[in-house]
Amino acid sequence: MITIDSVIKTYGETTVVDAVSLELPDSGVTSIIGPNGAGKSTLLSIVSRILGADAGVVSVEGLDVFHSPSREVAKKLSILRQDQHTTARITVRELVEFGRYPHSHGRLTAECHAAVASALEYCDLADLVDRPIHQLSGGQRQRAYVAMVLAQDTRYVLLDEPLNNLDMVHATGLMRLLRSLADERGKSVVLVLHDINYASAYSDRIVAMRDAKVVVDGPPASVITPDALESVYGMPFRVHDLDGERVASYYR
Ligand SMILES: Nc1ncnc2c1ncn2[C@@H]1O[C@H](COP(=O)(O)OP(=O)(O)O)[C@@H](O)[C@H]1O
Ligand SMILES: [Mg+2]
């Protein structure tokens, strides 16, 4: 379990994470939704130690994230950042091999090679392994970064807007893959999504943030409702039951 206890982050006068307490389970798919600027990325960055907090404690299976060696944290938790990019001239395979760094420190073991091969295959990158990443389309590059995170092979996999740049084929493919990571490999997948219908279809739990706080938290059936969604986004929604799945519409 990841325990987030009373975490506060302020920039000048503005509090962007306001005493958030949240427990993230050790398996399953948890989606974080909410409008731009709600604090979602800041919270994930704090949990993964990219960013310090002004107050509060985060622990991953009892390991205090703020006071543990980054290598120990990186064996338990991986993150795909929203603004992930590299200027290095490396190939897809080399990028994915970086995911093994916390385990190998640069010397790839047989286990590392197996994890890299599995991540490349999972992300449909077989034809692109030797391509330099700066020559890929946005969506192809996004899949390469996801593969890097998968190669790290941690129990907790955090992804900040992983569907960015993906067409619906690859978006659906990635959501299926994340679901299977939870179901078949027992991982805890925590991801920030803007598409609430993907969140509805694939999550065990949806956490909604607004104005630096968690405002709604529960299974899709309790979050994908007109009232809950309006309280998160401040605009009207219609919600339909489609073969037992909740689908929200909000285009007009
Ligand atoms: N480095 C920064 N300096 C000042 N304000 C920031 C910084 N990073 C983020 N913010 C502000 O914090 C708030 C939350 O940002 P963020 O966590 O990125 O939101 P979300 O991911 O939910 O869209 C926003 O109002 C944003 O402008
Ligand atoms: Mg964000």
Side-chain angles (χ1 to χ4, degrees), residues 3 16 32 36 42 71 76 79 82 87 112 130 140 142 144-145 150-151 162 172 184 186 202 207 224 228-229:
T3 307
V16 300
I32 301 178
N36 293 141
T42 305
R71 191 176 172 182
K76 291 182 181 290
I79 181 161
Q82 185 175 351
T87 48
C112 292
D130 296 319
Q140 291 169 333
Q142 182 73 344
Y145 282 114
L150 296 190
T172 302
E184 291 161 21
Y202 286 93
V207 176
I224 307 299
L229 290 173

Side-chain angles (χ1 to χ4, degrees), residues 11 14 16 34-43 82 160-161 192 194:
Y11 289 111
T14 314
V16 300
N36 293 141
K40 306 178 297 296
S41 293
T42 305
L43 185 65
Q82 185 175 351
D160 196 348
E161 298 194 28
V192 176
H194 280 304

